[in-house]
Amino acid sequence: MSRCADSRARARAARRLIGRLALALALAPAITLLPCAAAPAGSDATPGLLDFTAAERALILSHGPWPMPTERDGANRADGRPAAIAFGRALFFDPRLGADGRTACASCHQPARAFQDGLRTPLLPGAAEGTRRGQRNTPTLWDAATWRWFGWDGAHDSLWAASLAPLLDGAEMARRPDDLAAQVRHDPAWRAAYRAAFGAAPGDDDELVVVDLAKALAAWQATLVSPRTPFDDFRDALARGDRVAAAAYPLAAQRGLRLFVGGARCSVCHAGPGFSNGEFADIGVPFFVPGGVDPGRHRGLLHLRASPYTRLEPHNDAGAIDPRAVATRHVVIEPRHFGEFRVPGLRQLVHTAPYMHDGSLPTVEAVVRHYSELDEDRLHADGERILRRLDLSAQQAADLAAFLRTLSSPRLPAP
Ligand code: HEC
Ligand code: HEC
């Protein structure tokens, strides 16, 4: 038996033993780091198409279809309402939302840059280098509605709560609720838009008015669904058995994909159609920041527990019947959460550099190098060891980068 066939047989055995697909591949390390890429001379070999195993194929299909079916969020009564979506859009681009009258959500989440800012950490127009706002990279808002936890540290459990935080945060819009609510009551355009969105004029309860602004902002962001990518065309061609169409997908990307779902174990965490399992992990990105450390998920959970704006609190429009509240009720804070960050989605990656929670890696190639040269001693010792140093060859690194690039569309629409 050849080395490749041998490793395939071992992998098959491992997979039979452990039912869970992604984890099974993760625990069978020998599968695809070996150069097994050449298609065997099988009867149905198609030029330009690798001969993916049934397990590889199943994993590839699990990264779609795209777009995902959308689900309304009952916690936000404005979700899906056209008037609220229009109000949210107007607010998002309005610099009067900032305490300084110059800062809009779109100042950092810039539509032309995939709703991020292209910077390591945010810096507003006119601000000096020394006055960076916050220590985390601005995430894209494409596909924002698909998350269960929001922010790099999961400090929020709904899109509206994640939209409320920047309104009140000193490093972002820095608003006082009373002042912001008064502005909504007195600005004729905002007042009219509020009434159209929520069916009544803004009342006297400042907190309620501000929460409703966040809900309108969330309703608009929930409409941001990223376009299909070359990977999606390949995945759908595989799904319908159209080998000729599938063969149009570059071979380098196919080899990179095989690594991604196989020996490099990326899809254990970067799972599903959005390429994230929605959970948190430590992949050895240093969490030291000026003056201390960024505790990541650990602080996010403390914040979530203390927040009056979670799914367990009265502003949840779904009340006691919200099925998504269960996860919030059951969070536990453990030491292992220290230094964990949310597994980011990988769609539209080409448009969202720099990467990681601190924006420390400037290119897709630098990310691949990070995983290839991983410092295993930097990782948490506890929990299941999924990551290990990959020591990719130059060819493998290029293939993996080529695959990652196919998760982006050539350009993004202007919403
Ligand atoms: C100063 C730059 C800045 C401004 C202004 C800003 N944001 Fe953000 N936004 C960020 C950063 C940085 C993060 C990541 C924060 C974290 O994880 O700690 C973020 C995170 C988010 C998230 C969570 C996304 C996710 O994937 O979990 C949402 C939603 C969001 N912002 C919406 C808004 C809205 C709505 C506004 C306007 C009310 C706004 N932001 C204003 C920089 C900004
Ligand atoms: C153990 C779970 C896990 C595995 C396995 C994993 N990742 Fe990640 N990935 C993460 C987390 C968590 C982050 C964010 C880390 C941070 O910011 O500190 C991340 C970040 C990234 C980013 C940056 C995205 C952005 O928007 O900033 C890319 C690209 C990426 N991973 C690709 C890969 C590839 C390729 C592999 C396989 C070689 C892989 N990942 C394996 C959890 C994982």
Side-chain angles (χ1 to χ4, degrees):
M1 198 185 272
S2 78
R3 246 179 109 200
C4 286
D6 182 35
S7 73
R8 285 204 197 95
R10 260 187 288 138
R12 269 198 301 276
R15 282 193 296 269
R16 266 198 304 277
L17 275 173
I18 314 152
R20 289 172 54 200
L21 208 52
L23 202 57
L25 275 173
L27 295 174
I31 310 176
T32 46
L33 277 184
L34 297 172
C36 305
S43 53
D44 59 354
T46 306
L49 182 63
L50 296 189
D51 189 35
F52 291 103
T53 65
E56 286 171 337
R57 201 172 160 278
L59 270 175
I60 293 167
L61 296 195
S62 75
H63 290 294
W66 191 260
M68 286 196 254
T70 46
E71 227 179 274
R72 290 270 159 83
D73 183 0
N76 179 0
R77 70 192 189 291
D79 197 28
R81 267 195 214 167
I85 293 169
F87 185 28
R89 186 185 191 284
L91 287 169
F92 190 87
F93 290 97
D94 196 331
R96 292 175 305 157
L97 209 51
D100 58 2
R102 299 196 304 158
T103 307
C105 307
S107 304
C108 295
H109 300 285
Q110 300 166 20
R113 295 180 191 266
F115 291 103
Q116 46 97 55
D117 51 14
L119 301 168
R120 279 185 76 147
T121 58
L123 187 66
L124 287 168
E129 183 66 16
T131 57
R132 285 190 175 277
R133 303 200 173 200
Q135 290 155 338
R136 301 222 181 112
N137 180 251
T138 307
T140 180
L141 298 179
W142 282 109
D143 312 316
T146 61
W147 295 108
R148 178 156 59 122
W149 308 112
F150 294 82
W152 284 103
D153 59 4
H156 312 286
D157 66 356
S158 72
L159 187 51
W160 73 257
S163 303
L164 179 65
L167 286 175
L168 307 181
D169 187 330
E172 291 170 55
M173 322 300 273
R175 295 304 301 254
R176 280 186 18 214
D178 55 345
D179 181 43
L180 182 54
Q183 192 179 355
V184 180
R185 285 184 208 109
H186 296 127
D187 182 284
W190 281 10
R191 189 181 165 82
Y194 182 99
R195 179 192 280 280
F198 295 101
D204 295 335
D205 183 340
D206 294 338
E207 187 181 50
L208 185 64
V209 172
V210 173
V211 164
D212 281 346
L213 290 190
K215 287 178 176 171
L217 282 162
W220 179 64
Q221 293 167 85
T223 67
L224 301 173
V225 177
S226 69
R228 283 172 58 86
T229 68
F231 167 78
D232 296 315
D233 291 341
F234 171 71
R235 183 251 169 226
D236 289 0
L238 269 197
R240 50 173 205 273
D242 184 344
R243 297 175 63 92
V244 175
Y249 188 57
L251 264 173
Q254 293 182 44
R255 289 191 302 263
L257 170 57
R258 173 170 265 174
L259 276 168
F260 188 88
V261 300
R265 314 187 221 201
C266 312
S267 60
V268 174
C269 299
H270 296 284
F275 291 87
S276 170
N277 58 7
E279 290 303 329
F280 298 78
D282 171 16
I283 59 158
V285 176
F287 46 83
F288 297 103
V289 290
V293 296
D294 184 337
R297 180 66 168 150
H298 198 268
R299 192 171 67 195
L301 283 170
L302 291 173
H303 181 103
L304 186 77
R305 277 269 179 84
S307 170
Y309 305 115
T310 70
R311 290 179 184 272
L312 303 178
E313 302 298 329
H315 289 292
N316 179 350
D317 295 326
I321 58 158
D322 182 3
R324 300 196 215 179
V326 177
T328 308
R329 184 166 294 115
H330 290 113
V331 291
V332 254
I333 308 180
E334 291 172 15
R336 74 177 166 88
H337 295 307
F338 213 88
E340 285 187 346
F341 293 90
R342 191 181 69 188
V343 178
L346 303 180
R347 287 188 172 270
Q348 306 302 336
L349 198 67
V350 164
H351 307 294
T352 63
Y355 305 107
M356 305 300 173
H357 74 271
D358 57 355
S360 57
L361 297 181
T363 60
V364 173
E365 284 70 22
V367 174
V368 170
R369 206 174 312 122
H370 169 83
Y371 286 105
S372 185
E373 298 170 5
L374 194 72
D375 179 358
E376 294 184 12
D377 295 337
R378 261 281 299 111
L379 301 175
H380 284 153
D382 51 346
E384 189 138 38
R385 207 21 110 69
I386 299 164
L387 285 166
R388 68 199 159 88
R389 190 186 164 100
L390 296 174
D391 284 319
L392 301 173
S393 69
Q395 173 79 64
Q396 288 173 320
D399 289 345
L400 194 51
F403 161 67
L404 291 171
R405 289 180 183 284
T406 68
L407 301 178
S408 304
S409 53
R411 66 195 68 75
L412 287 161

